Amino acid sequence: MADTLELVIITGMSGAGKTVAVQSFEDLGYYCVDNMPPSLLPTFWQLIKETGKITKIALVIDLRSRDFFQELQNIINTMDNTQFITTRVLFLEASDDALVSRYKETRRNHPLATEGRLLEGIQKERELLKDLRNQAQIVVDTSNISPRQLREMITERFASEDYTTFHIEVISFGFKYGAPIDADIVMDVRFLPNPHYIAELREQTGLDQAVYDYVMQQPETQTFYEKFMDLIEFCLPHYKKEGKSSVTIAIGCTGGKHRSIALAERIGKRLKDDQYIVNISHRDQYKKKEIVNRS
């Protein structure tokens, strides 16, 4: 078990960005729990400590926890006095104007304004949270920042030195089984010579050296590969800059067995050499063409 467990409590004004914040912590590898009742914190933390497998946790605690104000601060103080836990409170706030605008855009009701004006609910919540805000280690005003900027701020403050949030998925697939719906970039390589029509290569895949060599030795393949990689290596830093945590690149041929696999392997290895975190997978490698009985 690690000597110290890290707990981040995400709290603050309703509508100030707690959902974006917890998603950011998930991307950073934190175990995240939304709407944890404060009274359950000690029991929950004891279970985590006993497992020894989770060392970073982010909890969202807000007005949905009705005992929030009475119990939270006492529990934080108690937990801070143990040798196993480092506790930080991240408090998110925003101006009245910004919060009113956000609530009107989403058409949601403020939890403290069920029987009154929206602004009255916001002001009541701000008064209730005043002491907690003053004691929080980190206070972020989200009035004039975008969700992407909030993610960047959280990453800068909480990411460990050896952790990166940005990774790449390279997938091969066959168009006859449908393109992946979650792909960011889809490339059709059915224009390349097809090993399927060579008897000794037909039952092999792009993972076999003979098929890989056949695909890569084609002049069209080399030209395509260089042009495609030039585009990808241009795009990826900009995807990262815009706040994307991952990019999925899908390479498709007819059956997802030969050309797409060979190129996905080569593209994935090139990106690994570029120091990206890359996962390579082959969706349709083992699929067989369905035989339809038309009699």
Side-chain angles (χ1 to χ4, degrees):
M1 183 181 68
D3 292 336
T4 303
L5 305 177
E6 180 182 355
L7 170 64
V8 177
I9 294 177
I10 305 167
T11 188
M13 297 293 294
S14 301
K18 292 190 290 294
T19 298
V20 172
V22 73
Q23 291 170 348
S24 302
F25 278 99
E26 286 177 343
D27 290 341
L28 291 173
Y30 281 71
Y31 182 88
C32 297
V33 181
D34 192 7
N35 195 22
M36 168 70 73
S39 60
L40 295 182
L41 273 175
T43 301
F44 171 78
W45 200 249
Q46 184 62 32
L47 292 172
I48 294 298
K49 185 173 65 175
E50 290 174 357
T51 66
K53 297 180 179 180
I54 300 174
T55 59
K56 300 191 299 182
I57 298 177
L59 303 180
V60 179
I61 303 178
D62 59 23
L63 281 176
R64 291 172 292 176
S65 302
R66 295 305 176 185
D67 54 356
F68 179 85
F69 306 106
Q70 292 75 24
E71 298 186 36
L72 179 58
Q73 192 57 53
N74 289 336
I75 291 171
I76 292 174
N77 291 337
T78 300
M79 294 171 70
D80 273 338
N81 290 330
T82 72
Q83 60 178 317
F84 300 106
I85 300 168
T86 298
T87 305
R88 285 184 286 178
V89 177
L90 169 62
F91 189 98
L92 301 176
E93 65 177 3
S95 68
D96 290 350
D97 289 345
L99 293 174
V100 168
S101 176
R102 292 170 189 175
Y103 270 100
K104 287 187 176 296
E105 287 178 2
T106 61
R107 299 183 180 181
R108 294 174 53 229
N109 293 324
H110 189 280
L112 297 182
T114 55
E115 298 180 357
R117 294 175 56 212
L118 172 59
L119 183 58
E120 292 176 352
I122 292 172
Q123 292 171 342
K124 181 178 180 180
E125 181 184 23
R126 196 181 301 281
E127 181 63 25
L128 288 170
L129 292 172
K130 180 174 60 176
D131 291 341
L132 183 59
R133 180 203 180 281
N134 291 337
Q135 296 178 34
Q137 289 88 349
I138 302 170
V139 178
V140 177
D141 188 334
T142 67
S143 301
N144 299 307
I145 64 174
S146 66
R148 178 175 64 84
Q149 290 172 318
L150 177 57
R151 292 189 188 97
E152 291 174 352
M153 293 174 64
I154 291 172
T155 299
E156 181 179 348
R157 286 178 177 266
F158 291 93
S160 58
E161 293 182 359
D162 60 348
Y163 189 86
T164 178
T165 63
F166 187 77
H167 66 278
I168 302 167
E169 298 285 334
V170 180
I171 302 172
S172 70
F173 71 96
F175 274 98
K176 67 182 179 182
Y177 303 113
I181 62 174
D182 58 343
D184 299 293
I185 300 171
V186 178
M187 189 64 220
D188 182 352
V189 297
R190 288 177 291 186
F191 65 91
L192 298 175
N194 192 351
H196 174 80
Y197 297 108
I198 300 175
E200 59 268 28
L201 300 180
R202 183 172 302 161
E203 298 305 317
Q204 299 184 52
T205 75
L207 294 174
D208 294 299
Q209 194 64 45
V211 174
Y212 183 89
D213 290 344
Y214 175 86
V215 173
M216 295 305 159
Q217 287 169 3
Q218 307 303 317
E220 304 97 312
T221 302
Q222 189 60 33
T223 301
F224 160 75
Y225 173 75
E226 294 299 335
K227 290 180 180 293
F228 185 67
M229 289 309 305
D230 185 51
L231 173 65
I232 291 298
E233 289 175 334
F234 169 79
C235 291
L236 289 178
H238 293 282
Y239 276 121
K240 188 175 181 180
K241 182 179 178 181
E242 285 302 306
K244 284 185 69 67
S245 60
S246 67
V247 171
T248 298
I249 302 170
I251 309 297
C253 61
T254 303
K257 187 176 179 181
H258 299 111
R259 295 164 289 182
S260 61
I261 288 180
L263 278 160
E265 286 289 320
R266 188 174 181 184
I267 291 166
K269 289 174 182 176
R270 168 80 167 265
L271 293 174
K272 288 181 180 179
D273 290 341
D274 290 343
Q275 305 303 309
Y276 288 105
I277 296 175
V278 182
N279 180 55
I280 306 170
S281 60
H282 306 297
R283 192 192 71 178
D284 301 328
Q285 176 182 353
Y286 299 109
K287 287 185 178 178
K288 299 288 186 180
K289 183 177 181 180
E290 294 183 1
I291 299 176
V292 180
N293 187 349
R294 299 184 182 275
S295 60

